């Protein structure tokens, strides 16, 4: 065997096994160097460039377009008793409001509004609400010194507040069993 063509062995051994001293393939080293160079331009483009280039920004633009189309047929809803009473029985809009409720409210108030960490929304006892219009105020501003957080920064459109309030109003009267005792005072029907 020719000594020049023999594989090069490294000068150290682990557990009696000696390693070959094989260099990385040139294409692999080149690819590694190019990913590093690419990462510099990527970072400059997405982190130092103008606003609106990230996937989150693109998502927000599409979400705004969808909301504008969705609310185009109803305009901007006023948080009045008449509007809340009308929309709490609109099944098309209650499906949308239920999705918002599940996303933002169910972790505290339960999937069906029966109460969990937060109060039961299906009975006639309410802590921060005396009339149906108060629901919008509580959702928007929060209550009980932060126990009920403000959703001003979480909901994207004024109609979201009105529709979620209408959905919460529609839950009343189901009187579902709750792990929490009744809280607040009994209020008159909507």
């Amino acid at each position: 065997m020719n000594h020049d063509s023999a594989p090069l062995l490294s000068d150290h051994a682990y557990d009696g096994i000696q390693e070959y001293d094989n260099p990385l393939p040139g294409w692999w080293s080149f690819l590694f160097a190019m990913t590093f160079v690419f990462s510099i331009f990527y970072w400059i483009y997405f982190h130092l460039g103008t606003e609106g280039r990230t996937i989150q920004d693109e998502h927000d633009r599409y979400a705004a377009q969808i909301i504008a189309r969705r609310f185009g047929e109803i305009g901007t809803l006023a948080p009045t008793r008449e509007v809340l009473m009308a929309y709490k029985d609109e099944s098309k809009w209650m499906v949308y409001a239920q999705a918002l409720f599940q996303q933002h409210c169910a972790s505290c108030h339960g999937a069906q509004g029966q109460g969990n960490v937060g109060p039961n929304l299906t009975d006639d006892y309410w802590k921060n609400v005396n009339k149906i219009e108060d629901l919008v105020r509580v959702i928007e501003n929060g209550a009980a010194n932060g126990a009920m957080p403000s959703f001003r920064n979480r909901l994207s459109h004024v109609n979201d507040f009105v529709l979620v309030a209408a959905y919460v109003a529609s839950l009343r009267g189901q009187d579902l069993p709750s792990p929490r005792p009744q809280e607040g005072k009994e209020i008159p029907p909507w």
Side-chain angles (χ1 to χ4, degrees):
M1 182 176 193
N2 186 354
H3 193 14
D4 292 336
S5 65
L8 298 175
L9 295 175
S10 65
D11 57 355
H12 58 277
Y14 294 104
D15 294 333
I17 302 171
Q18 198 168 9
E19 298 175 339
Y20 285 113
D21 189 13
N22 290 330
L24 290 173
W27 66 268
W28 195 95
S29 298
F30 176 76
L31 186 62
F32 177 75
M34 291 311 297
T35 58
F36 180 75
V37 170
F38 173 78
S39 70
I40 293 170
F41 291 108
Y42 181 89
W43 186 80
I44 290 171
Y45 183 80
F46 282 106
H47 295 283
L48 297 179
T50 60
E51 291 293 319
R53 291 184 176 168
T54 65
I55 294 205
Q56 181 64 42
D57 294 331
E58 187 176 351
H59 172 269
D60 291 345
R61 280 192 302 275
Y62 285 131
Q65 291 172 358
I66 290 169
I67 288 171
R69 275 196 309 258
R70 180 179 296 137
F71 292 143
E73 68 183 66
I74 61 173
T76 301
L77 299 175
T80 63
R81 174 180 174 70
E82 293 76 27
V83 170
L84 291 167
M85 291 299 288
Y87 276 91
K88 78 180 190 68
D89 297 322
E90 283 281 336
S91 61
K92 172 183 171 184
W93 291 105
M94 288 302 96
V95 169
Y96 172 74
Q98 182 181 14
L100 288 175
F101 182 87
Q102 294 300 321
Q103 180 181 1
H104 297 287
C105 312
S107 61
C108 292
H109 292 288
Q112 298 171 327
Q114 76 276 13
N116 188 8
V117 176
N120 187 348
L121 302 175
T122 65
D123 62 14
D124 290 329
Y125 293 85
W126 295 73
K127 291 170 61 174
N128 300 298
V129 174
N130 292 317
K131 55 189 187 288
I132 195 169
E133 301 88 16
D134 294 340
L135 290 170
V136 176
R137 177 187 49 79
V138 170
I139 293 167
E140 185 175 2
N141 300 323
N145 293 325
M148 164 68 185
S150 167
F151 282 84
R152 188 174 295 136
N153 296 329
R154 298 181 195 175
L155 297 176
S156 59
H157 195 276
V158 67
N159 287 358
D160 290 343
F161 293 104
V162 174
L163 292 171
V164 170
Y167 177 75
V168 170
S170 74
L171 297 175
R172 185 176 177 196
Q174 296 177 23
D175 209 14
L176 298 175
S178 175
R180 297 177 58 96
Q182 293 177 334
E183 301 177 61
K185 62 183 185 296
E186 188 173 4
I187 61 171
W190 305 132

